[in-house]
Amino acid sequence: MKLVVGNQKAYLLREEVIEFIEKTKSKYCKDAVICPSLPYLELYKDSKYILGSQNVSVSESGNTTGETSARQLKSCGISYSIVAHSERRAGQLENASMFLAKIKELLNNDITPIYCVGEGRSEKSEGVTKDFVGKEIMEVFDNMKKEDIERVIVAYEPIWAISGGDMPSITPTNDEISDVVSYIKDLIKDKYDANIPVLYGGSVNKNNIVSLNEIEVVDGYLIGGASTKPDEFLFIMENCLK
Ligand code: PGA
């Protein structure tokens, strides 16, 4: 069984979320994680989905307008949280010390961080993907203990493969994904003596999920656009959670 995490970003309106929940009701929901926009959290209350958040505050609590702390997320039943998504690294100018603070806050509240890494188009074309991704791992994990690293999940998301950007996304080949995910796992094993799950993300959809599932080293998927389309998400759950 693979881990399925839906990142609904800011795509859906309230009525569309209600429709999504209704249309995806199935035995699979209890094993899938959905990260909705926080205002819709209550709508998921009676669904069977495991809940995640798309972001978390760096701070414990208090005077941080517009942020949601890990403690608050925990009190709303959140079990996973995405950290360092490329849309936050670039769009919100977040950096490694913030990612570390977020991961610590999440772990203190027993929420599993999903730490995103991935190269852009330029690193890919310069052939420095592994150096780049390795640096993103080390700049955070170098400051963590092995026991804590083992409570984190990594998501490999090449930025050029993520849908919805300025340029059309390209899906990597299975060999490309397998190569980078194996590199990430080996690095974490060699450097920190830790074994952790690694997800793949970037244009996962109902047309490529069957083929992606052939990549043994991948432990699951972080799914954006397709996690807002009931038929696609149901198909993905059926194929990954059986
Ligand atoms: P996508 O997004 O599946 O729409 O490409 C993935 C992500 O950004 O997590």
Side-chain angles (χ1 to χ4, degrees):
M1 192 157 94
K2 306 263 188 185
L3 181 62
V4 171
V5 183
N7 171 14
Q8 293 188 323
K9 307 192 182 183
Y11 283 126
L12 299 176
L13 297 178
R14 194 174 190 281
E15 311 81 78
E16 293 166 328
V17 174
I18 294 169
E19 194 185 325
F20 176 87
I21 294 170
E22 193 53 39
K23 288 192 170 164
T24 58
K25 251 186 206 157
S26 65
K27 64 176 181 183
Y28 302 108
C29 297
K30 68 175 192 354
D31 294 315
V33 182
I34 282 281
C35 307
S37 299
L38 289 182
Y40 304 143
L41 216 45
E42 284 296 306
L43 299 178
Y44 278 93
K45 207 174 63 185
D46 296 326
S47 80
K48 297 276 183 288
Y49 282 112
I50 300 163
L51 293 174
S53 70
Q54 300 174 19
N55 186 30
V56 62
S57 171
V58 290
S59 311
E60 196 179 327
S61 60
N63 55 344
T64 50
T65 302
E67 296 291 322
T68 309
S69 70
R71 210 162 143 241
Q72 290 177 310
L73 293 175
K74 187 70 189 176
S75 75
C76 295
I78 295 279
S79 309
Y80 292 80
S81 177
I82 300 169
V83 175
H85 191 284
S86 56
E87 288 153 16
R88 297 203 63 85
R89 285 180 186 268
Q92 310 296 326
L93 303 178
E94 294 190 359
N95 58 38
S97 64
M98 295 167 78
F99 303 145
L100 186 63
K102 288 178 183 219
I103 289 173
K104 288 190 169 160
E105 278 303 313
L106 291 168
L107 293 179
N108 284 342
N109 287 281
D110 280 324
I111 298 174
T112 302
I114 301 174
Y115 178 58
C116 300
V117 299
E119 81 286 5
R121 276 173 208 269
S122 58
E123 291 86 22
K124 162 91 174 143
S125 60
E126 286 162 29
V128 295
T129 293
K130 288 179 185 169
D131 292 344
F132 188 83
V133 166
K135 183 174 157 285
E136 288 184 328
I137 301 270
M138 289 185 281
E139 66 190 4
V140 170
F141 286 10
D142 273 1
N143 300 297
M144 290 175 64
K145 292 191 270 203
K146 169 185 152 85
E147 311 86 86
D148 287 340
I149 291 173
E150 286 187 319
R151 295 169 66 201
V152 177
I153 293 174
V154 165
Y156 170 55
E157 296 209 303
I159 297 169
W160 47 275
I162 295 177
S163 67
D166 300 340
M167 293 165 83
S169 55
I170 314 159
T171 315
T173 63
N174 283 9
D175 284 348
E176 283 176 313
I177 296 171
S178 174
D179 188 37
V180 182
V181 169
S182 302
Y183 167 76
I184 291 170
K185 288 192 169 181
D186 290 348
L187 173 71
I188 294 171
K189 176 77 194 150
D190 294 347
K191 207 156 188 292
Y192 312 106
D193 191 27
N195 292 304
I196 68 172
V198 179
L199 313 181
Y200 167 74
S203 295
V204 176
N205 59 51
K206 69 172 186 214
N207 298 320
N208 59 20
I209 192 65
V210 173
S211 161
L212 286 169
N213 272 339
E214 287 166 10
I215 316 174
E216 276 183 24
V217 72
V218 168
D219 298 297
Y221 307 98
L222 183 52
I223 303 153
S227 74
T228 64
K229 300 178 185 126
D231 62 323
E232 296 229 9
F233 201 63
L234 252 183
F235 186 82
I236 293 169
M237 288 196 288
E238 275 163 21
N239 275 274
C240 297
L241 304 174
K242 53 188 174 203

